Amino acid sequence: MIVKVKIEEQIFQVEISDLQQRPIIAVVDGDEFEIWPEGEPVKPMVEFVAENPIKQPINHQPVAPVRSTSVPSSTPKVATASGITPSTSNNTLLVVRAPIPGVITAVDVQAGSEVSVGQQLCVLEAMKMNNSIRASRAGRISTVHVTTGQHVKHHDILITYAG
Amino acid sequence: MDISILIPELLKGLLNFTGGNLFMILIGSGLILLAVKKEYEPVLLLPIGFGCILANIPLTGMTGPDGLFGVLYRAGISTELFPLLIFVGIGAMIDFSPLLAQPKMVLLGAAGQFGIFGTLILATWLGYPLNQAASIGIIGAIDGPTAIFVSARLAPELLAPIAVAAYSYMSLIPIIQPPIMRLLTTKRERLIRMEYSPRPVSRQARVAFPVIVTLVIGLLVPEATPLISMLMLGNLLRESGVVDRLSKSAQNEIANVATLFLGVTIGSTMNAASFLNLATIGILALGLLAFILDTVAGLLFGKLMSALSKGSINPLIGAAGISAFPMAGRLCAKMAQEEDFDNFILMHAMGANTAGQLGSVMAGGVLLALVTGLV
């Protein structure tokens, strides 16, 4: 996989063969670097793969910023990364999507509501059955994208968290 | 005028009232109570319960050949008209797209019919003649109209207990199935998430489906054709998108009128003299067994599919393969959500459930073919 990393107006082509491998081997302009992401284990990322198998835009991949690019060398360098920051992987958890197609029959939260885990956010009727859509994380609701009576397709965004 | 002759005439209703009648009236009231208080299949249990009460008031003449129930029975039950009309309505209510999007669910719909044949074999061992054994086995489909259709043809003498068993077990699905589901699946299996990844089902496919199914099943199992064709007629009305009025009538007015008359007429066959005997208890027990065996077979097949798919299929959906549309499908979805509120397997369960509906109709047709061929 090739990732473009922009550092101070300069764009680097970073080639990474396997993100799961430790250290991550990144090739920048022909130079090989070993990268140990901080904040292991990398569980959040694995989780979001399970949450949401849709491919993320490539710039969302939690790639460690490479600091040692200014020191070209033929031997692998050890670069410390700032780790996988929660903000990148949490982007997928910030939205609540329709798990199945159906009709919204009730909306229990509004913009600004504080919700706790397991709290009902809205009700999605599918196949004549009311499905309770519950909060999988605590937080404040930023936007409610649906209204009662609205038809939603699979994977439509229902609710966005503030963060 | 001699008063002493008049008094028995005035009291003849009470004088003909038996303990059995009282017991059946209590049963009828119990059905009504279940319908009103617990909302267990009220659309069916309410008319059945009331019909049962009426049938046990002596000397009304309502169940006689010219009475209301006699007329309704000959018009709609022995001709099998009511179950067929209900099937038009059910067909118009069923959305087959979860099944069309996931055709492998057909296997679960087939596995869910094992109990029908298992119970048939058991009942013949127990000494029931083949026609009665087949009618008892079909209770396992937990599909009222199919059970009535088959038993009205094969063993009309057992129709009342079979219909009552099929409908009351349908209302007891949320009580009978969950313990079996918990027993046969591990928590880890129930937690399996199934991503809903529908393959798009085109309108052409949805319109062609009912026609093709009618032709294929009709040619393979001619005895199932009345049921499957009416089910598919209703579905064609729904999916064609051009006869919205007919589709709505089928779903509402036609299905409701037929259900009301079917329920009250079935209830009226529950009189003390014909219902209160050991055969009824045997039928209720064997029917329950058929239901449990169907659920077990569906779940075991679900586990097999789960293992073969390396754990990407939640075996709970196997329990929806029994028919009992749509209760069984909803129950599976609920069970999965009880373990993990973020797990939505409803569409998969409905795929298996609609497959089960088709499976039980085919099984009914196969039974009719086998038994009429053998007897």
Side-chain angles (χ1 to χ4, degrees), chain B residues 47-320:
Chain B
I48 290 180
F50 198 72
C52 173
I53 292 177
L54 286 179
N56 289 286
I57 301 173
L59 309 175
T60 58
M62 290 180 84
T63 49
D66 295 322
L68 172 66
F69 295 135
V71 171
L72 281 176
Y73 189 90
R74 266 179 301 148
I77 305 284
S78 48
T79 60
E80 312 194 318
L81 181 68
F82 292 158
L84 292 177
L85 287 178
I86 291 176
F87 255 44
V88 178
I90 295 177
M93 288 178 218
I94 295 186
D95 178 359
F96 280 105
S97 51
L99 176 60
L100 287 168
Q102 316 156 81
K104 65 182 168 210
M105 297 299 168
V106 165
L107 297 173
L108 289 172
Q113 313 309 321
F114 169 80
I116 295 177
F117 296 96
T119 307
L120 184 151
I121 293 167
L122 186 70
T124 46
W125 278 346
L126 289 176
Y128 285 89
L130 188 60
N131 63 325
Q132 295 193 354
S135 307
I136 294 168
I138 199 74
I139 297 173
I142 310 297
D143 176 19
T146 303
I148 291 170
F149 185 86
V150 171
S151 56
R153 181 93 59 90
L154 294 181
E157 66 279 7
L158 299 184
L159 187 61
I162 286 173
V164 170
Y167 280 121
S168 47
Y169 291 157
M170 182 144 169
S171 65
L172 294 177
I173 282 174
I175 296 168
I176 297 171
Q177 279 200 315
I180 307 172
M181 290 159 89
R182 276 193 211 101
L183 192 71
L184 286 179
T185 56
T186 61
K187 188 173 174 71
R188 182 191 282 264
E189 285 173 327
R190 292 195 295 275
L191 281 171
I192 292 175
R193 289 196 180 189
M194 298 173 74
E195 179 65 19
Y196 179 60
S197 52
R199 82 174 58 169
V201 180
S202 68
R203 174 147 181 261
Q204 284 98 313
R206 280 183 288 131
V207 174
F209 178 74
V211 179
I212 292 171
V213 167
T214 305
L215 286 173
V216 170
I217 296 187
L219 291 171
L220 284 178
V221 197
E223 284 78 5
T225 312
L227 280 173
I228 202 77
S229 65
M230 289 303 107
L231 189 73
M232 290 298 135
L233 171 65
N235 195 246
L236 183 61
L237 296 178
R238 170 200 178 93
E239 299 297 351
S240 66
V242 291
V243 283
D244 202 35
R245 282 187 359 211
L246 298 188
S247 168
K248 288 226 167 77
S249 296
Q251 289 181 42
N252 299 307
E253 290 82 3
I254 294 175
N256 289 345
V257 169
T259 304
L260 172 64
F261 288 148
L262 177 116
V264 80
T265 312
I266 290 294
S268 77
T269 60
M270 294 170 66
N271 62 19
S274 66
F275 197 88
L276 281 184
N277 49 51
L278 280 176
T280 298
I281 295 170
I283 289 164
L284 291 176
L286 282 170
L288 181 64
L289 182 74
F291 178 17
I292 291 172
L293 285 179
D294 266 357
T295 308
V296 168
L299 282 168
L300 289 179
F301 200 78
K303 281 169 83 86
L304 178 69
M305 280 176 81
S306 183
L308 290 179
S309 69
K310 297 193 178 66
S312 70
I313 288 175
N314 189 321
L316 283 180
I317 61 169

Side-chain angles (χ1 to χ4, degrees), chain B residues 341-353:
Chain B
F341 62 75
D342 246 356
N343 193 6
F344 294 89
I345 60 168
L346 180 64
M347 295 314 246
H348 304 88
M350 282 301 175
N353 204 189

Side-chain angles (χ1 to χ4, degrees), chain A residues 51 53 99-101 117-118 126-129 131-136 154, chain B residues 95 98 193 195-198 251 330 333-334 337 341-342 344 346-347 350:
Chain A
E51 264 314 297
I100 43 180
V117 174
M127 294 269 145
K128 303 256 162 73
M129 176 175 165
N131 298 276
S132 176
I133 309 290
R134 297 176 185 278
S136 51
H154 174 236
Chain B
D95 178 359
R193 289 196 180 189
E195 179 65 19
Y196 179 60
S197 52
Q251 289 181 42
R330 288 182 196 161
K334 256 190 205 143
Q337 272 195 302
F341 62 75
D342 246 356
F344 294 89
L346 180 64
M347 295 314 246
M350 282 301 175

Side-chain angles (χ1 to χ4, degrees), chain A residues 60 84-92 94:
Chain A
H60 271 210
I84 292 154
T85 50
S87 63
T88 47
S89 52
N90 262 6
N91 272 343
T92 53
L94 280 179

Side-chain angles (χ1 to χ4, degrees), chain A residues 19-94:
Chain A
L19 258 184
Q20 307 299 327
Q21 196 187 325
R22 291 294 173 268
I24 298 171
I25 306 294
V27 181
V28 184
D29 297 333
D31 290 319
E32 214 173 272
F33 295 92
E34 284 180 356
I35 303 166
W36 293 91
E38 274 176 10
E40 291 273 16
V42 204
K43 213 171 162 239
M45 210 199 85
V46 177
E47 260 177 16
F48 99 53
V49 170
E51 264 314 297
N52 186 356
I54 300 266
K55 287 242 156 51
Q56 291 301 303
I58 205 142
N59 56 0
H60 271 210
Q61 291 293 351
V63 173
V66 184
R67 287 180 196 151
S68 47
T69 43
S70 53
V71 195
S73 163
S74 55
T75 52
K77 290 246 166 15
V78 175
T80 4
S82 55
I84 292 154
T85 50
S87 63
T88 47
S89 52
N90 262 6
N91 272 343
T92 53
L93 298 173
L94 280 179

